């Protein structure tokens, strides 16, 4: 059945129809059908469909992982734009979400938990999880979602990341959606997330400094707010090629200089100690499986070889301002206390912290 695009024009959709809405629309058409003496002019006027189309676009957008570093900003932007929002978390608790937001307990690896959250939603933003992708696809099909916007990884389209275990997991998720041609999936692909630096907070608090592998490797971390801006553009129906292009921050910066930026933000110098590869493997293995540790170290080796670019793909129309710098990111999180409260992680890398 037809749907309204962002500008209010009628567009066709190949999604499985919502039968409840279809029956309602038939009733509207019958009530507005012309009598025999009115002739055929104006029959089945699009005006008769306007209430139905409006109701379709008031269906909520589900933000999965709405307490996450990107998800919380996606939810905030959508609410500011007046979009109906529902949120999900694996273990939601009272007071975690704004008033008026529907909240669901949902886990991407548990299809039974997904159906209540997906049911009645227009579209969904979610994170890539290769363990649950087929259940997500089947549930999306059953719920007749208009689209899924997937938080994927720039490593999928970054040539020198091919073969990396984390990159290939993301690639497998995208490939599963590509096979399911009746479920529209739009990937968003940040290469390096600025929130990775939050993983250093525990070391800074406990030891006063940070131990890093490849501290002088250059990357272009992208702020979570800028990623959320691109996600919201995709949710709005923007099909510009850059929506699914390689997303980076505006400039390359070394890990050492990122630590220096944090030090300036908190008002003290933070020393950096360089780790050997073996020492980094031992340290990271305390927090993640060995296969993921090797993948993270490969990303850092690749960056040290000069292969991590800065690509100006976050359009100002999406971000509503210029892309955020790493210095700005450090200041924001340091003043909020996140860099000094401490986090028991060395690298936030479950399926692609660094890519």
């Amino acid at each position: 059945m037809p749907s309204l695009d962002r500008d209010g024009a009628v567009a066709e959709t190949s999604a499985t129809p919502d039968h409840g809405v279809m029956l309602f629309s038939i009733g509207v058409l019958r009530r507005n059908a012309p009598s025999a003496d009115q002739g055929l002019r104006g029959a089945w006027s699009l005006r008769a469909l306007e209430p139905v189309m409006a109701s379709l676009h008031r269906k909520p957008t589900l933000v999965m992982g709405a307490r996450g570093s990107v998800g919380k900003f996606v939810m905030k932007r959508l609410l500011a734009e007046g979009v109906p929002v529902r949120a999900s978390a694996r273990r939601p608790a009272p007071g975690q979400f704004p008033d008026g937001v529907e909240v669901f307990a949902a886990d991407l690896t548990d299809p039974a938990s997904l159906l209540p959250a997906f049911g009645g939603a227009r579209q969904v933003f979610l994170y890539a999880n290769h363990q649950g992708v087929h259940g997500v696809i089947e549930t999306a099909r059953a719920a007749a979602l208009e689209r899924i916007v997937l938080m994927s990884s720039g490593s999928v389209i970054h040539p020198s990341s091919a073969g990396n275990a984390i990159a290939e997991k993301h690639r497998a998720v995208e490939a599963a959606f590509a096979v399911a041609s009746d479920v529209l999936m739009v990937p968003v692909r940040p290469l390096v997330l600025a929130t990775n630096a939050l993983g250093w907070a525990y070391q800074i608090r406990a030891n006063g400094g940070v131990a890093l592998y490849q501290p002088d490797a250059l990357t272009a971390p992208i702020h979570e707010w800028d990623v959320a801006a691109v996600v919201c553009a995709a949710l709005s129906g923007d099909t510009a090629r850059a929506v699914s292009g390689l997303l980076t921050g505006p400039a390359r910066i070394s890990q050492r200089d990122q630590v220096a930026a944090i030090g300036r933000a908190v008002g003290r110098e933070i020393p950096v100690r360089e780790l050997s590869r073996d020492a980094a493997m031992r340290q990271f293995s305390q927090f993640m499986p060995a296969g993921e540790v090797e993948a993270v170290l490969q990303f850092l080796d690749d960056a040290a070889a000069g292969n991590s670019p800065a690509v100006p793909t976050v359009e100002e129309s999406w971000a509503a301002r210029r892309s955020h710098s790493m210095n700005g990111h450090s200041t924001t999180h340091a003043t909020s206390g996140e860099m000094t409260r401490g986090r028991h992680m060395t690298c936030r890398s479950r399926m692609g912290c660094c890519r």
Side-chain angles (χ1 to χ4, degrees):
M1 83 183 267
S3 63
L4 293 181
D5 65 17
R6 190 179 181 188
D7 297 319
V10 175
E12 294 297 324
T13 176
S14 59
T16 304
D18 183 321
H19 295 292
V21 172
M22 179 172 285
L23 289 172
F24 174 69
S25 67
I26 291 171
V28 171
L29 287 171
R30 283 176 177 164
R31 287 196 300 274
N32 289 275
S35 61
D37 60 347
Q38 288 178 301
L40 296 177
R41 180 172 296 181
W44 314 126
S45 167
L46 286 176
R47 181 172 297 175
L49 282 174
E50 287 177 359
V52 180
M53 296 300 101
S55 70
L56 278 174
H57 280 265
R58 297 310 294 171
K59 294 172 71 174
T61 293
L62 170 64
V63 179
M64 298 200 71
R67 295 177 60 225
S69 59
V70 174
K72 66 184 178 184
F73 285 113
V74 172
M75 180 175 63
K76 183 176 180 178
R77 288 184 69 105
L78 291 175
L79 289 171
E81 294 169 6
V83 177
V85 174
R86 64 172 56 164
S88 78
R90 282 182 294 179
R91 291 176 293 276
Q96 290 179 334
F97 300 101
D99 292 341
V101 173
E102 289 184 280
V103 179
F104 291 81
D107 187 326
L108 288 170
T109 63
D110 179 9
S113 75
L114 296 178
L115 191 55
F118 282 23
R122 178 187 173 199
Q123 56 190 353
V124 176
F125 165 69
L126 52 81
Y127 294 79
N129 188 324
H130 72 288
Q131 294 180 333
V133 63
H134 296 293
V136 170
I137 290 170
E138 289 304 317
T139 308
R141 184 177 286 127
L145 293 179
E146 183 177 313
R147 72 172 62 82
I148 288 176
V149 174
L150 176 74
M151 177 74 166
S152 185
S153 167
S155 60
V156 172
I157 54 175
H158 182 247
S160 59
S161 296
N164 181 283
I166 291 174
E168 295 310 313
K169 286 181 179 180
H170 282 284
R171 194 187 313 279
V173 172
E174 290 195 22
F177 278 103
V179 172
S181 58
D182 58 331
V183 177
L184 175 61
M185 182 277 292
V186 182
V188 172
R189 297 170 172 142
L191 187 61
V192 181
L193 298 173
T195 50
N196 294 347
L198 294 178
W200 303 332
Y202 179 71
Q203 288 192 68
I204 293 171
R205 184 184 182 196
N207 307 318
V210 184
L212 298 173
Y213 177 63
Q214 298 286 19
D216 298 306
L218 294 172
T219 63
I222 184 168
H223 195 292
E224 56 269 29
W225 179 262
D226 292 328
V227 178
V230 179
V231 169
C232 290
L235 289 168
S236 75
D238 193 329
T239 56
R241 198 169 178 182
V243 168
S244 295
L246 189 68
L247 299 180
T248 74
R252 298 201 302 168
I253 183 173
S254 69
Q255 293 187 94
R256 191 186 301 276
D257 287 341
Q258 291 178 51
V259 173
I262 294 167
R264 289 191 294 272
V266 300
R268 63 182 175 87
E269 184 176 350
I270 300 173
V272 172
R273 177 170 61 87
E274 185 169 358
L275 291 174
S276 68
R277 207 175 197 283
D278 287 344
M281 178 69 76
R282 290 192 298 271
Q283 180 166 300
F284 286 14
S285 293
Q286 299 175 63
F287 308 100
M288 65 188 76
E292 288 189 10
V293 174
E294 176 59 31
V296 170
L297 298 186
Q298 287 175 9
F299 283 142
L300 290 170
D301 288 338
D302 194 42
N307 294 327
S308 190
V311 183
T313 50
V314 179
E315 298 182 5
E316 290 189 29
S317 60
W318 294 341
R321 54 181 143 177
R322 296 183 64 184
S323 299
H324 295 72
S325 69
M326 189 64 204
N327 285 332
H329 184 274
S330 300
T331 300
T332 298
H333 288 285
T335 54
S336 70
E338 289 182 83
M339 283 296 177
T340 52
R341 282 198 301 268
R343 292 177 178 233
H344 294 273
M345 291 184 68
T346 301
C347 185
R348 296 156 63 86
S349 170
R350 307 300 289 188
M351 269 201 77
C353 76
C354 295
R355 283 294 204 283

